[in-house]
Structures are given as structure tokens and as C-alpha cells.
Amino acid sequence: MARIGKIFGKKPEPTIPQEGGKAGPVNPPAAGKVEAGPGVESQEFFGLKLTLDTGKEFAFTTLPVTIGRGEANQIVLQDETVSGNHAMIYFDESAQEVCVLDLDSLNGVYVDHAPTRRNILSDGVKLSLGAVDLTFRDTGYIHSRQDSH
């Protein structure tokens, strides 16, 4: 599978708190329209998306993003098989890739049906947290970097 990940820079910008401090589902001001429902046409969005099988989308433009059942997470999944603090999506400096990390969840993290503790996420992979399946999409987000030349 061809590598589709984009350059994210050395350190993500802090997440701008949304209503209640959550990141999902979001509609970033400069990012375009993101619809959360089947049969609704979405406009172009630049960033990263996680899409539930129901069609509900969680979009974000900064990393890291935590996922879990607990209210302190940026993406809250109300499912009893999802741990309070289940997983984190972050930019790995060593690999220069977007990755997922299992935060010692009870039911584990799976990438394309394979159990993992830490793994690189490429465009289109299926991410499973407990019984919740999400599809990861890299929609072309390019983080602005402060490089010294």
C-alpha cells in the first residue's frame, strides 16, 4: 500500500477546545464542512478523520488525540467495550508517521484486525477499539512547520 501520510511537523499545535473541551465530531473553522451522517454530502476537509461504521465522522487537525469512553478524551465513544482512556493517535517523531497507541485498554486496539500496542496508521486502515470499528482517513493535512533555513 502506498504511503499517503503527510508532513505533520515536529510538534503538534495545541488542540483548540471545542464545546465541552471535545474534538469530535468537529467542524474546524478553516477546514471546511464535515457532516456526521450517512447520505449527507461533505465538502472537502483537510485533516485527519475517524469514521464510525454508522457514518459519523470525527475530524481533527492537531495531534495528539485521545479516544475513550471518559469525558476527558477529545473523542468520546459511548460503548461499554471501550475503556475510559482507550487509545491515543499521535505523530511519532522517530517514524515520522501518524501512529496509534493502546493506553492499556481492557479490550485492546486492532489495526486491520491485527492486535497491536503501537502501530503506524496509513490512509484507509480499520481501527478497532473494543467492539467499535473506525476507518482512519488522512485527507491531506499538512502541518505548518517553523523550520530554520
Side-chain angles (χ1 to χ4, degrees):
M1 181 175 191
R3 180 178 156 198
I4 302 178
K6 302 294 178 190
I7 299 171
F8 279 81
K10 296 190 181 213
K11 201 167 194 181
E13 297 173 14
T15 303
I16 299 171
Q18 301 295 320
E19 181 181 331
K22 303 295 178 261
V26 297
N27 190 6
K33 186 175 180 184
V34 178
E35 297 293 341
V40 178
E41 190 175 323
S42 295
Q43 293 177 352
E44 192 172 1
F45 170 79
F46 293 103
L48 301 174
K49 288 184 190 178
L50 289 173
T51 306
L52 293 168
D53 288 341
T54 62
K56 184 175 183 179
E57 292 179 335
F58 298 94
F60 44 99
T61 58
T62 60
L63 294 173
V65 171
T66 58
I67 306 168
R69 199 174 64 238
E71 294 295 320
N73 293 289
Q74 284 88 21
I75 296 176
V76 177
L77 300 175
Q78 296 297 332
D79 185 283
E80 63 186 33
T81 63
V82 175
S83 295
N85 296 309
H86 201 106
M88 178 173 62
I89 296 176
Y90 68 101
F91 182 76
D92 186 286
E93 292 290 332
S94 304
Q96 294 292 299
E97 296 282 356
V98 176
C99 297
V100 64
L101 173 66
D102 185 343
L103 298 175
D104 298 322
S105 64
L106 182 62
N107 291 314
V109 172
Y110 293 77
V111 174
D112 283 340
H113 307 290
T116 189
R117 296 280 303 144
R118 180 181 311 233
N119 209 322
I120 293 172
L121 295 177
S122 55
D123 186 62
V125 300
K126 180 173 275 195
L127 183 64
S128 301
L129 309 175
V132 177
D133 292 331
L134 302 125
T135 302
F136 174 79
R137 299 302 309 205
D138 178 345
T139 60
Y141 175 67
I142 299 176
H143 186 304
S144 60
R145 300 189 329 171
Q146 298 292 336
D147 291 338
S148 56
H149 292 280

